[in-house]
Amino acid sequence: MVEAQSWTTRRSSNPRFETSVDIPSTPTGEVRYGTTNNIFASFSATSFVSPTILTALIIASWYLSNIGVLLLNKYLLSFYGYKYPIFLTMLHMISCTFYSLIAIRWFQIVPFQQILSRKQFLKIFALSGIFCFSVVCGNTSLRYLPVSFNQAIGATTPFFTAIFAFLITCKKESAQVYLALMPVVFGIVLASNSEPLFHLFGFLMCVGSTAGRALKSVVQGLLLTSDSEKLHSMNLLLYMAPMAAMILLPFTLYIEGNVFAKTIDKARNDSFMVFLLIGNATMAYLVNLTNFLVTKHTSALTLQVLGNAKAAVAAVVSVLIFKNPVTAMGISGFAVTIMGVVLYSEAKKRSKVTAH
């Protein structure tokens, strides 16, 4: 049995507003499932296309879903006039619940795992609370900040992860790791000072989302430690999503008012909104599914590298679509931050090799 691990560095990409959970390392299908009645085992896509083409299609789908959910969130919250980020996040959670049930219980993409104790349930519920905070803050920030700046801030996840790991677990990194974090922070300072559409509340929400994602990664490593409590990422999503939806329900009713009636009224006047909401919620689940598929067909390291590049790709695409102004200093700051993330990833790998 290959033991699952939590890959916090993958989150440095991020894929912050994609409503996604940490992906553990995934061995080959033969090792993980053996002989199973998984319907994909007998009807594999590799029988129709070569493994190389299949992997390329999966990576393309990963980019499409991760960038797509960001752009759809931005369009809905900033341009379309649907100003209910909490309710939108709740729709994401409901969608993830529905699609996870189909994927695990019907298509059996991974073996179904049950919650074995009340203690394990409470731990997952606590993670769901942190998950809610991070995603709601991220979606809220998109109302006020351009996607390009949003992604630059999200790239600072390793900085917050290192802080929380030290404060909560007293884990100290090597000097090289801490030095690599300096350009991460410095780049954001440059980008913030030169961002034409800087908004303080949006900035604070984005920082809160980034910190919340890092906190969840650290806390998850602490809470789900025993072999009996460890869950595959897709099973963890299956349990966290409905819990998150229940947590968000009272908040959306209290803060955003009778959002159900408002949404129905908008849908009656504009049926295109129904298509946007369903597509957006479906894309939120596909982020998690493609995370799993990329890891399964390549490696967690590949996912981490793709994530580092995704932030830059998402920023460029958003500027081309939404035409938000950018400055040379802002681009330089973003580039410095991404460079710092890459240096951080390399320093972490070297420190792990040295430790072993």
Side-chain angles (χ1 to χ4, degrees):
M1 175 69 72
V2 179
E3 195 171 282
Q5 300 175 357
S6 177
W7 288 86
T8 57
T9 53
R10 180 189 69 78
R11 290 308 230 166
S12 66
S13 53
N14 189 35
R16 313 172 33 257
F17 304 114
E18 315 87 80
T19 327
S20 129
V21 296
D22 293 324
I23 302 295
S25 58
T26 309
T28 61
E30 290 79 3
V31 175
R32 299 191 66 240
Y33 303 122
T35 57
T36 177
N37 56 355
N38 183 339
I39 96 176
F40 291 122
S42 58
F43 189 73
S44 174
T46 56
S47 61
F48 297 97
V49 296
S50 70
T52 302
I53 295 177
L54 178 62
T55 300
L57 290 174
I58 290 172
I59 291 175
S61 299
W62 181 87
Y63 270 106
L64 180 64
S65 59
N66 275 269
I67 297 175
V69 76
L70 267 173
L71 300 180
L72 276 176
N73 283 349
K74 178 64 178 176
Y75 177 73
L76 279 166
L77 295 169
S78 294
F79 295 91
Y80 191 74
Y82 193 79
K83 300 179 180 180
Y84 310 112
I86 302 177
F87 183 71
L88 184 64
T89 305
M90 191 178 77
L91 291 181
H92 289 181
M93 298 300 106
I94 294 173
S95 169
C96 287
T97 303
F98 175 73
Y99 286 121
S100 294
L101 281 171
I102 294 176
I104 295 177
R105 300 310 298 266
W106 186 17
F107 288 104
Q108 302 175 13
I109 62 170
V110 296
F112 174 67
Q113 296 172 284
Q114 292 183 325
I115 295 179
L116 302 177
S117 66
R118 181 172 177 269
K119 181 180 179 182
Q120 186 184 20
F121 172 85
L122 293 175
K123 288 179 177 180
I124 296 174
F125 188 81
L127 287 175
S128 299
I130 302 173
F131 188 45
C132 285
F133 173 80
S134 175
V135 178
V136 168
C137 285
N139 285 336
T140 302
S141 72
L142 284 172
R143 280 189 61 187
Y144 305 98
L145 299 178
V147 174
S148 54
F149 187 44
N150 177 288
Q151 287 292 282
I153 299 172
T156 62
T157 301
F159 171 75
F160 290 100
T161 302
I163 290 178
F164 286 127
F166 177 75
L167 294 177
I168 298 175
T169 68
C170 297
K171 178 184 177 182
K172 293 183 179 180
E173 302 286 356
S174 65
Q176 289 83 0
V177 171
Y178 288 124
L179 285 174
L181 290 174
M182 293 180 64
V184 173
V185 179
F186 178 67
I188 287 302
V189 172
L190 284 179
S192 300
N193 286 334
S194 58
E195 173 56 48
L197 300 179
F198 181 86
H199 190 285
L200 180 59
F201 180 72
F203 175 79
L204 293 176
M205 285 292 100
C206 201
V207 171
S209 174
T210 306
R213 187 174 61 259
L215 177 63
K216 175 187 167 294
S217 180
V218 174
V219 172
Q220 182 174 330
L222 287 175
L223 295 185
L224 303 179
T225 52
S226 67
D227 290 337
S228 62
E229 290 182 336
K230 287 182 179 178
L231 296 174
H232 188 280
S233 61
M234 302 306 289
N235 279 282
L236 183 59
L237 178 65
L238 174 63
Y239 291 119
M240 284 180 56
M243 293 181 188
M246 289 188 293
I247 292 172
L248 291 172
L249 179 60
F251 286 97
T252 186
L253 292 176
Y254 179 75
I255 297 174
E256 297 175 333
N258 192 3
V259 66
F260 295 98
K262 295 175 183 176
T263 301
I264 292 173
D265 287 340
K266 283 180 174 288
R268 286 173 179 169
N269 297 326
D270 185 3
S271 58
F272 183 62
M273 190 190 73
V274 177
F275 171 78
L276 284 176
L277 291 178
I278 293 176
N280 181 254
T282 300
M283 199 79 74
Y285 173 74
L286 291 178
V287 168
N288 294 278
L289 178 61
T290 53
N291 281 345
F292 160 67
L293 291 175
V294 168
T295 308
K296 180 179 179 181
H297 287 268
T298 57
S299 67
L301 178 60
T302 300
L303 185 65
Q304 176 187 326
V305 173
L306 291 174
N308 292 339
K310 190 227 72 171
V313 174
V316 172
V317 172
S318 69
V319 170
L320 294 175
I321 293 177
F322 298 120
K323 312 293 184 184
N324 57 282
V326 293
T327 63
M329 188 66 72
I331 295 174
S332 300
F334 194 3
V336 170
T337 295
I338 296 298
M339 181 189 69
V341 170
V342 174
L343 291 175
Y344 168 83
S345 300
E346 292 298 318
K348 286 283 289 185
K349 283 193 293 182
R350 285 196 297 270
S351 65
K352 287 180 180 179
V353 171
T354 303
H356 287 82

